[in-house]
Amino acid sequence: MPLHVPPAPAPALRTVLTALGSPTAVREARTPSLRMAQGPVTPELPLPVHVLERITPAGASATRLAGWRFLIRCADRAVAAADTMLTPDGWAFSRFFEGPYITATERAMRQAESMQQSYQARLLSVPELYMLTLWLHGDCAADGAAGHPAATDLLVPLAPAPPGIAAHRPHRVAELLPVLTHRVTPAPLLSSPA
């Protein structure tokens, strides 16, 4: 089934294109693979990045849109990524970066494209666990910038995943959130002897 990628806001894409066209922005980025890219580079695969701010026993209690991420492709592979963020003045370029999440995102997207059900692709960050997941939302027509994970949505942890959570294994939100809840809940403090 097809994997749906929601359209990024045009101003967010424009900021990435402007940054890619700026020798200073590319030169100062901590992305050697972007600086050494031979040939044209293009931003592709825009994904909304949502942040899971709080996890409670009842589930995901607060998510927010943090920005849009674009993979930067040169020839046949992604060499970096670009993040944008919403500011009071509108969408702004945030940063270029590289690392394992770029190849992990591409791998998870290929996995998702082979699934039987159609999904809308998003990213979900869980800062408390230093975890990033591909969020496969069941409502393909939904606004990619809004909403929170439904119990039947899938989360695919990207590598490197936290210890004890398998990377690239799809989990229903209803199955993974209890595990995450247990991971982020602080252990009770031991009482001191009287």
Side-chain angles (χ1 to χ4, degrees), residues 90-131:
W91 287 99
F93 169 76
S94 176
R95 67 185 178 129
F96 290 119
F97 68 95
E98 60 184 53
Y101 285 135
I102 294 166
T103 54
T105 301
E106 285 188 308
R107 177 180 170 186
M109 291 292 287
R110 283 192 305 272
Q111 259 183 288
E113 287 171 350
S114 67
M115 294 181 175
Q116 296 300 314
Q117 183 178 339
S118 292
Y119 289 101
Q120 183 188 80
R122 305 170 176 197
L123 292 172
L124 182 67
S125 173
V126 186
E128 291 175 287
L129 296 176
Y130 301 101
M131 179 178 178

Side-chain angles (χ1 to χ4, degrees), residues 104-190:
T105 301
E106 285 188 308
R107 177 180 170 186
M109 291 292 287
R110 283 192 305 272
Q111 259 183 288
E113 287 171 350
S114 67
M115 294 181 175
Q116 296 300 314
Q117 183 178 339
S118 292
Y119 289 101
Q120 183 188 80
R122 305 170 176 197
L123 292 172
L124 182 67
S125 173
V126 186
E128 291 175 287
L129 296 176
Y130 301 101
M131 179 178 178
L132 184 64
T133 70
L134 177 63
W135 168 14
L136 300 173
H137 189 54
D139 183 359
C140 295
D143 177 1
H148 62 279
T152 56
D153 288 353
L154 295 179
L155 297 177
V156 182
L158 301 182
I165 297 175
H168 297 289
R169 182 171 164 249
H171 301 270
R172 293 236 177 263
V173 167
E175 297 164 356
L176 187 58
L177 277 184
V179 173
L180 300 181
T181 301
H182 178 70
R183 289 305 228 13
V184 299
T185 304
L189 295 174
L190 298 175

Side-chain angles (χ1 to χ4, degrees), residues 44-126:
E44 297 180 355
L45 196 64
L47 295 172
V49 180
H50 295 261
V51 175
L52 185 59
E53 293 186 321
R54 284 189 317 276
I55 305 172
T56 67
S61 62
T63 58
R64 66 174 170 82
L65 179 68
W68 284 79
R69 178 166 295 166
F70 298 78
L71 293 185
I72 307 300
R73 187 165 299 283
C74 180
D76 63 344
R77 67 183 191 95
V79 295
D83 279 346
T84 62
M85 62 183 178
L86 190 58
T87 69
D89 295 326
W91 287 99
F93 169 76
S94 176
R95 67 185 178 129
F96 290 119
F97 68 95
E98 60 184 53
Y101 285 135
I102 294 166
T103 54
T105 301
E106 285 188 308
R107 177 180 170 186
M109 291 292 287
R110 283 192 305 272
Q111 259 183 288
E113 287 171 350
S114 67
M115 294 181 175
Q116 296 300 314
Q117 183 178 339
S118 292
Y119 289 101
Q120 183 188 80
R122 305 170 176 197
L123 292 172
L124 182 67
S125 173
V126 186

